Amino acid sequence: MRKQLIAANWKMYKTILETKDFIDKFLILIKSVNINNREIVLCPPFTSLYVASEMLKNTNIKLGAQNMYIEEKGAFTGEISPVMIKELNCEYVILGHSERRKYFNETDEFINKKMLMALKYGLIPIVCIGETLQEREENKTFEVLKYQVENSLANLTHEQAAKIVIAYEPVWAIGTGKNATPQQAEEAQSFIREVYANMYGKDVAERIRILYGGSIKPENFKEIISQKNVDGGLVGGASLDPESFFKICCV
Ligand code: PEP
C-alpha cells in the first residue's frame, strides 16, 4: 500500500511573517481532523525553512525544500546544499520543477545529479516531469515522459529507486487553472510507472509514489486522487491559503 502524499509548493511566495501566519492557521485546522493515512509536506522558500521547522516540531506535518545544489559545500555563490537543507529538518526536496527547467535551464542530466546527492544525504527527492502543451499537441507526451524518466531517474540502486517520489506535472496545467482530467493524469502516470518498472523492476515501481500536479483545487482533487496511479498531489497556487490547502489535504 502506498501512503498518499500531499505537498505544498509555495514557490517564491511568503515572507517569514506570512509563513508563521499560514502555519498558525493551518495547524489549528489540521488538528481538528485525523489524517493518518496521508503524509503532508510544506515546501516554503529557503528563507522560511527555519521558522517552519521550529513551528512544525512535534507535529506530523513534514518539511521540504524547493531546490538544492549538487555539492555538499564550496564556492558556489547563492546555492544551498543538501546538508544545509537536512540540518533544517527537511525530509523532502523538490527537484526539476518545470519552472527550474524553463528559467534556469535545468536538464534531466543535471536533475539526476541533484537527485543522487539528495539521496546520499538522506533527503527524499520529489522529481518533477511533464510535457509542454506543444509536446502534447504534437502527440509527443509519452516520448517526452519516457526520456525524462529514463534520464532524470537513472543510476539508482534498487534500494534508492524504491524511495523516490515522482511528480507528473504537465507544464500546460501549472498555474493555468486548466488541470489535467483524471483520465489524462491516470494515463500518463500509469505509463510513467511502466517505464520505471522497465528500469528497476515491477516491485520497485509499485512501491514508489507518483503525484499529480497542475492547478489542483479542493473541487477537482477528489476525482484525480481516486485514480489508481495517482498517489497524491503537488499543489502550487492553492497551497498558499491555509483553508484551501487544508481542504485539499482532506478530500
Ligand atoms: C506547482 O507549482 O508545482 C504547481 C502544480 O502549481 P499550481 O498548482 O499552481 O498549478
Side-chain angles (χ1 to χ4, degrees):
M1 240 332 239
R2 302 185 289 262
K3 189 165 187 176
Q4 292 178 336
L5 190 162
I6 320 266
N9 173 19
W10 286 358
K11 315 192 188 210
M12 200 175 69
Y13 292 102
K14 294 199 189 294
T15 60
I16 292 173
L17 275 181
E18 289 164 343
T19 299
K20 280 185 183 168
D21 186 53
F22 177 103
I23 296 179
D24 274 337
K25 290 179 176 146
F26 186 69
L27 287 181
I28 293 171
L29 292 167
I30 211 80
K31 274 179 192 153
S32 66
V33 292
N34 199 2
I35 308 182
N36 291 321
N37 56 337
R38 287 183 173 165
E39 261 186 280
I40 298 169
V41 182
L42 299 183
C43 304
F46 288 126
T47 47
S48 286
L49 283 175
Y50 181 74
V51 72
S53 159
E54 291 294 305
M55 293 177 83
L56 296 178
K57 267 183 194 156
N58 308 317
T59 74
N60 51 10
I61 312 299
K62 297 181 173 172
L63 198 58
Q66 297 175 19
N67 183 32
M68 52 161 255
Y69 192 56
I70 54 170
E71 298 287 343
E72 180 189 319
K73 59 182 166 188
F76 303 102
T77 303
E79 293 297 324
I80 305 281
S81 89
V83 178
M84 296 165 179
I85 293 171
K86 191 73 189 166
E87 193 184 25
L88 288 160
N89 298 321
C90 287
E91 286 184 43
Y92 289 88
V93 58
I94 300 173
L95 298 176
H97 191 279
S98 70
E99 287 149 17
R100 297 220 53 92
R101 292 172 183 263
K102 181 175 172 191
Y103 300 120
F104 304 96
N105 302 317
E106 290 195 8
T107 62
D108 288 295
E109 291 67 27
F110 187 56
I111 294 159
N112 183 246
K113 284 188 187 159
K114 290 191 177 191
M115 185 194 58
L116 294 169
M117 281 300 276
L119 287 163
K120 181 174 172 192
Y121 289 96
L123 293 157
I124 300 176
I126 301 176
V127 180
C128 303
I129 58 172
E131 80 287 359
T132 62
L133 183 60
Q134 189 181 350
E135 287 161 346
R136 178 161 279 266
E137 285 175 350
E138 289 172 358
N139 287 322
K140 289 187 180 152
T141 299
F142 293 129
E143 188 189 319
V144 169
L145 293 177
K146 185 170 187 288
Y147 183 90
Q148 291 176 333
V149 171
E150 288 179 347
N151 289 279
S152 66
L153 306 174
N155 308 314
L156 295 170
T157 64
H158 275 68
E159 197 189 323
Q160 289 174 323
K163 282 190 188 149
I164 68 148
V165 176
I166 302 176
Y168 169 59
E169 298 210 306
V171 180
W172 47 270
I174 299 179
T176 58
K178 190 176 181 302
N179 59 285
T181 63
Q183 294 70 29
Q184 284 172 323
E186 173 58 23
E187 183 187 44
Q189 296 189 199
S190 68
F191 175 76
I192 291 166
R193 204 180 296 282
E194 210 177 288
V195 175
Y196 202 66
N198 287 334
M199 295 167 75
Y200 297 111
K202 200 166 162 32
D203 279 3
V204 166
E206 284 301 321
R207 279 167 65 186
I208 63 153
R209 290 167 296 177
I210 307 180
L211 315 182
Y212 166 78
S215 296
I216 290 175
K217 294 182 204 72
E219 306 80 56
N220 63 21
F221 193 47
K222 196 175 171 62
E223 215 187 323
I224 294 175
I225 202 171
S226 312
Q227 304 300 308
K228 192 165 158 260
N229 284 288
V230 179
D231 307 308
L234 182 55
V235 191
S239 74
L240 293 169
D241 173 65
E243 292 223 4
S244 118
F245 187 57
F246 169 69
K247 282 186 193 155
I248 289 169
C249 293
C250 296
V251 300

